[in-house]
Amino acid sequence: MELKKEDIQTLRVKSRATSQVTFDADYNVPDVKPDIGRMIQNKGEVEVEEVRLNDGHAFVRGSLNVDLLYVGEEEGRVYSLSAKLPVEETLNLEGIVSGDKMCLKWEIEDLSLHLIHSRKLNIKAVVTFYAVVDELAGIRLPVAVDDETVSVKKKPMKLLSLAVHKKDTLRKKEEIVLSSNKPNVAELLWHTAEVRGLDLRPEEDRVKAKGELYVFVLYTGDDEGRTHQWLEYSVPFSGEVECPGCTADMIPNMEAAVISQSVEVKPDSDGEERLLIADMVLEVDMKLYREEEHEVVLDVYTPLRQCIPKGKTEALESLLIRNFSKCRLSDRIEMKETRGKILQICHSQGQVKVDKTRIVEGGVQVDGIVQLKILYIVGNDDMPFYSMETMIPFTQTVEAGGITEQSVYYLHADLEQLATSMVDSDEIEIRATVSLNLLVMSCQETMVIDKVEEQPLDEEKVRAMPGITVYVVKPEDSLWDIAKKFYTTVEEISTVNELKDGEISVGQPLLLIKKVEQ
């Protein structure tokens, strides 16, 4: 007996690993930099230079790059310095071989800088690496048999089949011209660049991206007195990456991460240092699914011979729901330290960190925080720059009707909007919007038949059964199951009992006539 089959593709986790790298290093201030009087703000980023996969493990080489904005001890001016701490880590990934593709993410936790003395710092940090190796698996679904004497039990299923799985990079380069009331750049002291409100959408053979690039720059002007200048720009951007085979109606599961960002000063057409070039590279991980309808054969039988289905249980995924939720946050922070009255907020930046997700009735509960850094100036002419760090916790339930513990879900959280304003000289108001994009798949454990073995009927068992039986329908019964159990056919039962559209009800008596010849 031959089975007609249709193919679907699914992505399975072949191996995963998590590894933490702890840093506790002393760093000497370079001779060209003045002594540190007071630290203002720090930042860190991981730069991965090499990833190498071998049998059973992955080798990662790179660095933790730490920047510090500080006040000089003698002159009382603002300076910056950079430290590069090497990283070499091996992650154990059972079952992987050279040639597999790995998705590597990382997170910097507990970055802290402590001043030992004016020429030496202690840097502490924990970097967590998350590695996942996926593999593409094909499932062949039986949808029909080539023997008309065989009855089949089918179930219509709308299943997800992976159509596209690829990674690509999207590079955005924006040119910012200093306004006419700003002096030329003598020295670039500090910068941040971040993407907010990123939207990724599939189209024909491409994925389009749009969002806003927020750039902050603090620099020393070339004017008399070498004044400190700062500026903040919000630049809308759009771009696209090639994605052959992609269509607009596919179900996307995509995310993007900043893998590098920089801001450089370039001369304008007059040769003056008035152009800022913001360069950012996003790595886009694209998984796109096609929703397909299949009539899957669950069982086969014939009253003429014994049919034994052979196969294995597979997890078949179907779309349950896609939901986009926004969590709006607001808080007021009182400045308790006596540094002087706040005159102006220069810049604020934030990052969403999801601590925990769990399935609750009707949705997924998300618990997390928005981590914030705020740079501001106070009424102190000698050195007005100060910085504070704070966090706002949030809890949001993203609705997903029908979700169960067996469901598979993917959650992407991003900071969409952030605004900070002064309530008065001692209090700051913070408003933020966190976007939560949820994709939920129903996972059905289904016996997928690979082949059907045929054997002669057990004649003794068949002879022992009565030729005519009255059977009372039970709650779990279907006509197909009854026909198989009593060696008859659905058509025969329907004809003998004059059933309309093959419908039966619990407690209904059915007259069954055995079809097998004695």
Side-chain angles (χ1 to χ4, degrees):
M1 183 187 304
E2 293 295 327
L3 293 170
K4 180 184 176 183
K5 297 181 180 180
E6 294 174 349
D7 295 330
I8 62 170
Q9 301 291 327
T10 185
L11 202 62
R12 293 172 176 163
V13 175
K14 185 176 183 179
S15 186
R16 67 169 75 236
T18 302
S19 181
Q20 284 192 333
V21 181
T22 302
F23 296 87
D24 187 353
D26 291 342
Y27 174 79
N28 294 316
V29 177
D31 295 337
V32 296
K33 296 288 184 178
D35 291 357
I36 298 175
R38 173 172 60 83
M39 295 186 290
I40 301 174
Q41 197 173 85
N42 63 67
K43 61 180 180 178
E45 66 175 12
V46 174
E47 180 182 358
V48 174
E49 299 167 3
E50 180 187 9
V51 176
R52 191 170 64 248
L53 271 65
N54 293 320
D55 293 349
H57 64 273
F59 173 75
V60 178
R61 182 174 64 84
S63 61
L64 172 63
N65 300 334
V66 180
D67 296 303
L68 172 66
L69 186 68
Y70 71 95
V71 180
E73 189 174 44
E74 294 181 2
E75 303 94 337
R77 297 189 61 83
V78 175
Y79 299 91
S80 62
L81 56 81
S82 300
K84 193 169 186 176
L85 307 180
V87 176
E88 290 190 356
E89 184 70 4
T90 299
L91 293 91
N92 296 318
L93 291 158
E94 293 184 9
I96 71 165
V97 296
S98 180
D100 282 341
K101 294 181 180 180
M102 181 177 72
C103 177
L104 182 67
K105 299 178 183 179
W106 53 84
E107 186 178 60
I108 301 174
E109 303 175 47
D110 303 324
L111 175 62
S112 61
L113 278 66
H114 301 281
L115 195 61
I116 299 173
H117 54 72
S118 62
R119 302 300 300 175
K120 182 178 282 191
L121 291 170
N122 176 254
I123 302 173
K124 288 185 170 67
V126 176
V127 176
T128 305
F129 289 98
Y130 305 92
V132 177
V133 177
D134 293 321
E135 63 179 349
L136 193 64
I139 300 176
R140 307 206 69 200
L141 300 173
V143 294
V145 296
D146 64 351
D147 191 335
E148 294 181 356
T149 66
V150 175
S151 297
V152 295
K153 183 180 183 180
K154 289 186 176 183
K155 181 179 181 181
M157 293 184 178
K158 187 177 282 189
L159 301 175
L160 292 180
S161 179
L162 185 70
V164 177
H165 181 212
K166 64 169 293 190
K167 281 187 178 182
D168 208 339
T169 54
L170 174 64
R171 184 173 185 177
K172 294 307 298 179
K173 213 168 188 178
E174 298 290 343
E175 184 179 282
I176 300 169
V177 182
L178 293 182
S179 57
S180 57
N181 63 340
K182 292 286 187 181
N184 296 343
V185 179
E187 182 184 2
L188 186 62
L189 297 172
W190 195 253
H191 75 268
T192 62
E194 57 183 335
V195 173
R196 294 181 195 164
L198 182 64
D199 181 33
L200 299 170
R201 292 182 184 270
E203 294 191 359
E204 297 298 320
D205 294 324
R206 60 185 177 175
V207 169
K208 296 203 74 173
K210 65 177 182 179
E212 285 190 281
L213 178 63
Y214 283 78
V215 179
F216 171 76
V217 171
L218 176 66
Y219 70 93
T220 302
D222 69 351
D223 56 342
E224 184 179 352
R226 309 278 284 186
T227 58
H228 294 120
Q229 303 286 330
W230 65 90
L231 53 94
E232 189 171 25
Y233 281 90
S234 170
V235 185
F237 74 89
S238 61
E240 61 183 49
V241 293
E242 293 183 0
C243 188
C246 175
T247 59
D249 60 348
M250 285 183 176
I251 310 298
N253 180 17
M254 300 185 289
E255 60 181 330
V258 177
I259 57 174
S260 71
Q261 53 97 359
S262 64
V263 176
E264 295 182 347
V265 182
K266 298 287 185 182
D268 61 11
S269 57
D270 297 325
E272 297 182 325
E273 301 285 323
R274 300 191 63 80
L275 292 181
L276 299 173
I277 309 298
D279 193 357
M280 178 171 286
V281 179
L282 296 171
E283 183 179 66
V284 185
D285 186 4
M286 295 168 279
K287 301 183 185 74
L288 294 134
Y289 295 85
R290 184 182 293 111
E291 205 168 17
E292 301 175 347
E293 293 187 1
H294 301 271
E295 291 275 344
V296 181
V297 175
L298 301 182
D299 199 359
V300 300
Y301 90 97
T302 172
L304 304 178
R305 56 193 179 276
Q306 189 174 2
C307 298
I308 305 173
K310 299 287 186 180
K312 63 178 180 179
T313 301
E314 299 279 7
L316 303 181
E317 295 177 334
S318 57
L319 177 65
L320 179 64
I321 195 170
R322 289 176 65 204
N323 201 356
F324 305 90
S325 179
K326 296 185 188 298
C327 180
R328 291 178 171 83
L329 308 172
S330 63
D331 198 3
R332 291 191 176 190
I333 305 298
E334 185 178 351
M335 308 302 295
K336 297 180 179 179
E337 299 182 27
T338 56
R339 297 169 174 170
K341 300 296 185 182
I342 302 173
L343 297 182
Q344 185 179 349
I345 296 173
C346 302
H347 174 62
S348 57
Q349 63 183 113
Q351 181 182 12
V352 179
K353 182 179 180 183
V354 175
D355 293 325
K356 183 175 65 175
T357 62
R358 64 187 182 95
I359 295 174
V360 296
E361 185 178 354
V364 175
Q365 182 177 307
V366 184
D367 298 317
I369 58 171
V370 177
Q371 296 175 319
L372 297 165
K373 288 185 178 182
I374 302 172
L375 183 67
Y376 60 95
I377 57 175
V378 299
N380 181 342
D381 293 337
D382 294 334
M383 181 39 58
F385 289 97
Y386 282 87
S387 177
M388 65 167 290
E389 295 185 19
T390 187
M391 63 181 66
I392 304 177
F394 68 88
T395 297
Q396 178 90 345
T397 298
V398 186
E399 292 184 4
I403 191 170
T404 67
E405 292 294 339
Q406 287 70 46
S407 300
V408 177
Y409 66 89
Y410 303 91
L411 178 79
H412 303 303
D414 296 292
L415 183 64
E416 186 172 299
Q417 295 178 345
L418 175 64
T420 52
S421 58
M422 293 171 53
V423 178
D424 54 37
S425 58
D426 293 314
E427 195 173 30
I428 294 174
E429 183 178 40
I430 301 168
R431 295 184 181 275
T433 302
V434 177
S435 64
L436 300 168
N437 296 340
L438 180 68
L439 172 65
V440 185
M441 300 177 183
S442 293
C443 195
Q444 307 174 55
E445 296 286 337
T446 305
M447 169 70 170
V448 176
I449 300 172
D450 180 54
K451 63 181 179 179
V452 178
E453 293 183 358
E454 298 180 83
Q455 298 177 3
L457 289 177
D458 185 341
E459 295 183 4
E460 291 187 7
K461 179 180 178 182
V462 174
R463 288 195 195 99
M465 294 184 63
I468 298 176
T469 304
V470 175
Y471 179 78
V472 179
V473 178
K474 296 181 175 61
E476 68 276 5
D477 283 337
S478 70
L479 269 182
W480 198 92
D481 295 324
I482 295 170
K484 179 182 178 182
K485 183 177 180 180
F486 290 94
Y487 292 88
T488 183
T489 64
V490 171
E491 294 77 10
E492 180 73 13
I493 298 174
S494 298
T495 300
V496 171
N497 294 275
E498 298 181 350
L499 300 178
K500 294 181 179 180
D501 302 322
E503 293 183 358
I504 56 176
S505 58
V506 176
Q508 180 180 358
L510 295 176
L511 182 64
L512 308 179
I513 301 175
K514 186 169 61 176
K515 290 282 290 182
V516 180
E517 296 181 2
Q518 299 296 320

